């Protein structure tokens, strides 16, 4: 496998790991979100599950073994109520966007286009959750503490 293919596979695995964390995180969001935004949380959860499944297939197509989901993930802050659930959803989307920006850089062709679309979707969801946007979705977040997906716990 060439160096470029290795970088692409690594970026795919990172995106897959981020999607695993997002699926977990949206499980928490769904348990705390108010009724008015429950459908939005469910749609995001379903979108991340679908992306996760596609990424796992792509990793296998490149000859890799898809990274497994952790049994649990450390959340970036406590989520005791609806307000915190909304903040967590925005944070999850920011983190996913950052990982997809790495995949955009590493991939080419159709995979690059799909990664750019996933980045756009995550950025749009983050704006909806937050009620505001950032200049360069997936990049600005990486300058702060939001540069990595939620941390797996044992």
């Amino acid at each position: 496998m060439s160096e470029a293919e290795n970088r692409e596979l690594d970026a795919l695995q990172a995106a897959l790991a981020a999607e695993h964390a997002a699926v977990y995180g949206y499980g928490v969001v769904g348990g705390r979100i108010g009724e008015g935004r429950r459908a939005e949380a469910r749609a995001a959860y379903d979108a991340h599950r679908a992306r996760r499944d596609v990424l796992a297939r792509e990793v296998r197509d490149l000859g890799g073994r898809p990274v497994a989901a952790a049994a649990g993930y450390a959340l970036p802050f406590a989520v005791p109520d609806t307000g915190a659930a909304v903040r967590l959803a925005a944070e999850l989307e920011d983190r996913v966007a950052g990982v997809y920006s790495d995949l955009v850089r590493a991939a080419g062709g159709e995979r690059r286009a799909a990664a750019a679309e996933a980045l756009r979707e995550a950025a749009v969801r983050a704006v909806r959750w937050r009620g505001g946007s950032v200049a360069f979705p997936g990049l600005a977040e990486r300058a702060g503490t939001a540069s990595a997906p939620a941390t797996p716990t044992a």
Side-chain angles (χ1 to χ4, degrees):
M1 189 176 279
S2 72
E3 186 176 328
E5 290 170 326
N6 280 331
R7 278 194 309 271
E8 186 172 0
L9 181 57
D10 289 346
L12 277 170
Q13 291 279 35
L16 176 56
E19 290 293 7
H20 284 312
V23 167
Y24 178 90
Y26 269 104
V28 174
V29 169
R32 298 285 191 223
I33 199 74
E35 186 64 38
R37 298 193 82 178
R38 191 159 291 142
E40 186 178 358
R42 180 61 186 203
Y45 174 79
D46 290 343
H48 286 293
R49 286 182 56 206
R51 289 256 184 225
R52 176 202 63 194
D53 295 346
V54 167
L55 289 167
R57 281 191 300 273
E58 289 185 1
V59 166
R60 282 191 294 274
D61 289 348
L62 288 179
R65 182 176 180 187
V67 63
Y73 294 84
L75 299 175
F77 48 83
V79 186
D81 56 25
T82 296
V86 169
R87 283 194 335 273
L88 177 59
E91 177 78 12
L92 293 169
E93 297 300 346
D94 286 342
R95 291 177 181 206
V96 167
V99 174
Y100 276 112
S101 71
D102 292 340
L103 184 54
V104 168
R105 283 190 294 277
E110 289 180 29
R111 187 167 288 129
R112 181 179 208 162
E117 177 63 17
L119 190 159
R120 185 196 65 78
E121 288 175 5
V124 167
R125 280 191 298 267
V127 167
R128 286 184 182 143
W129 286 115
R130 186 177 291 107
S133 66
V134 296
F136 298 101
L139 298 179
E141 298 83 4
R142 296 178 72 71
T145 59
S147 63
T151 307
T153 59

